[in-house]
Amino acid sequence: PVLPEPLVGIVSKESTVILTAANYRNRALLMNFVCNLRRLQIHHLAIAALDDELYRHAITRGLPVYLETTPVLSSSDETTLTSLLTSESNPKAVFTPATRGLFSQLRLRIALRILKLGYDVLWSDPDTVWLRDPTDLIERMDVDFAFTSAAPPSTPENSALSLALFYARPTEPTITTLTTLLSTLSSTPSATPSD
């Protein structure tokens, strides 16, 4: 496996790759995310463009983007997700339990691709707002994998997994765990994490 060409020279194995993905419909969210990272002087961002339109949009603006051409979902799931991502008719239809599962699978597959190349990954959905750079804190943690929770803080067991923001080191246990989680999500729609 080879790092997508546009990312060579932008990311290094000495630093965490901040990874996100978007399609053309979500370009405004993506641009807001990119501008916020620039304001915070955060670099090492890699953007997986999920369609040709976003790729062209991002590349003409000098963003560190590559076109994600590896099939990341089954063809029927890809068709469903593409239809939802490009539909202007009902934006709320995107956030059903089934589609949350597809988004989670998409995130994991893209992150696993970069992890298997030996890079630390900090995945962030483009609608996540960063107030400061978390990478120093996260890199100092003695963990291979960390994720956020979607459960309210008052919940006794704060266990509602959210994959909207997660960190992973390219270790064998991490890759095995994420591959198992991906397999569970692919085969058990009710096992969908919260986003």
Side-chain angles (χ1 to χ4, degrees), residues 29-39 45 47 63-64:
L29 279 175
L30 177 67
M31 292 308 296
N32 186 56
F33 181 70
V34 169
C35 288
N36 186 49
L37 291 187
R38 286 180 176 170
R39 180 185 63 79
L45 172 67
I47 302 165
L63 300 180

Side-chain angles (χ1 to χ4, degrees), residues 32 51 59 71-72 76 84 93 96 101 124 132 149 163 173 178 183 189 193:
N32 186 56
D51 56 35
I59 204 81
V72 290
S76 63
L84 288 168
T96 66
S124 181
R132 62 178 183 256
S149 173
L163 293 175
L178 294 182
S183 176

Side-chain angles (χ1 to χ4, degrees), residues 73 77 79-85 90-107 185 189 192-193 195:
L73 298 171
D77 287 344
T79 302
T80 300
L81 193 57
T82 300
S83 168
L84 288 168
L85 289 172
N90 185 3
K92 292 187 177 198
V94 173
F95 301 106
T96 66
T99 57
R100 277 198 305 269
L102 293 177
F103 282 115
S104 295
Q105 290 176 52
L106 182 75
R107 292 175 184 112
L185 289 174
T192 303
D195 292 318

Side-chain angles (χ1 to χ4, degrees), residues 11 19 35 48 54 57 65 79 101 106 113 118 163 167 175 182:
V11 298
L19 185 59
C35 288
L54 181 73
H57 179 81
V65 63
T79 302
L106 182 75
R113 179 176 180 207
L163 293 175
Y167 172 75
I175 291 170
L182 180 58

Side-chain angles (χ1 to χ4, degrees), residues 13-56:
K13 289 192 178 178
E14 288 76 45
S15 62
T16 298
V17 176
I18 299 165
L19 185 59
T20 194
N23 66 352
Y24 188 72
R25 180 178 176 197
N26 291 311
R27 68 193 176 280
L29 279 175
L30 177 67
M31 292 308 296
N32 186 56
F33 181 70
V34 169
C35 288
N36 186 49
L37 291 187
R38 286 180 176 170
R39 180 185 63 79
L40 296 171
Q41 299 181 2
I42 299 173
H43 308 289
H44 308 294
L45 172 67
I47 302 165
L50 301 178
D51 56 35
D52 292 329
E53 294 82 7
L54 181 73
Y55 178 75
R56 285 191 300 274

